[in-house]
Amino acid sequence: MPKLRYIILGTTTLIIGGLVTLSLTGTSAISEEIDASQASSLALVGDSIAVAITTKDDDHKSVEVHTNDYKWCDLSAKLSSEGDRVVVRMERSAWSRFGWCDPEAEIAIPSAFNLDVELDAIAANLTGSYEAVRIKADRGVLRFNGTASTFDLVADAAVVYLNFLSHMALGSVNIDVDKIVSSISYPD
């Protein structure tokens, strides 16, 4: 009889485990787009996320946001125009706050936009050509590969890989991080 209980418990555990696994693996992409013809900057605020931000050269100015929607681990992006800037507010689902998942987003913005990021924690891959870049976070992992007229990073702790592809003036890079691991390269 103990063997039968073990088999029943094992099957129940397996079924519950399978349902949880299946519910977490189903994904879909959600895309949002907003006209940015009157804007010159992007502000990224809200919940901590992993994000890839790229600049694009095209005739029409728009900001595009793509988020992955994992069941029980969704991330929504609310876009709005506020004067000369587009604000992207990231909101994670309640389930994702337990640490079971890391929602991801991809953002494409027009070239030479200002980028202003203010999140508690961020894992970011930034590529392209920006005007001013300002990132403020408690914790961050940041990879930057591109150009910017100014670059400002403020954090308590960060791991950064910065590859500036154009000449940066002496005072145009400001890194104010208490605990940092970094690799920074400038062009010759």
Side-chain angles (χ1 to χ4, degrees):
M1 192 64 164
K3 194 171 192 174
L4 183 59
R5 278 194 212 153
Y6 175 75
I7 292 172
I8 292 173
L9 179 60
T11 304
T12 305
T13 304
L14 181 61
I15 291 171
I16 291 171
L19 289 175
V20 169
T21 302
L22 286 175
S23 66
L24 288 176
T25 57
T27 67
S28 63
I30 298 175
S31 298
E32 300 283 335
E33 185 173 352
I34 190 169
D35 177 38
S37 57
Q38 303 299 317
S40 60
S41 65
L42 175 90
L44 179 61
V45 297
D47 293 332
S48 303
I49 58 166
V51 64
I53 302 174
T54 59
T55 62
K56 59 183 178 168
D57 292 318
D58 60 5
D59 294 335
H60 71 286
K61 285 189 164 184
S62 66
V63 171
E64 300 171 15
V65 179
H66 304 281
T67 59
N68 291 326
D69 183 17
Y70 301 100
K71 292 181 183 175
W72 296 353
C73 182
D74 58 328
L75 174 67
S76 65
K78 309 247 190 277
L79 284 71
S80 62
S81 288
E82 297 179 7
D84 67 342
R85 70 184 194 156
V86 172
V87 177
V88 179
R89 177 166 298 281
M90 296 295 191
E91 295 178 4
R92 295 171 65 154
S93 69
W95 290 103
S96 69
R97 297 181 199 278
F98 291 114
W100 295 342
C101 60
D102 293 313
E104 301 170 357
E106 296 175 11
I107 302 174
I109 65 175
S111 186
F113 251 45
N114 294 316
L115 178 62
D116 188 10
V117 177
E118 191 161 342
L119 301 169
D120 288 337
I122 186 170
N125 183 14
L126 310 177
T127 56
S129 177
Y130 301 87
E131 184 60 33
V133 174
R134 185 183 85 71
I135 300 171
K136 184 176 181 195
D138 290 338
R139 299 164 314 281
V141 176
L142 175 66
R143 181 179 179 272
F144 180 86
N145 190 30
T147 63
S149 62
T150 62
F151 187 89
D152 188 28
L153 173 64
V154 177
D156 290 333
V159 175
V160 297
Y161 301 94
L162 308 177
N163 183 25
F164 296 110
L165 299 178
S166 68
H167 178 69
M168 300 285 291
L170 183 59
S172 64
V173 176
N174 175 41
I175 299 175
D176 183 8
V177 180
D178 292 336
K179 296 170 226 55
I180 188 168
V181 175
S182 65
S183 171
I184 303 172
S185 64
Y186 295 91
D188 293 332

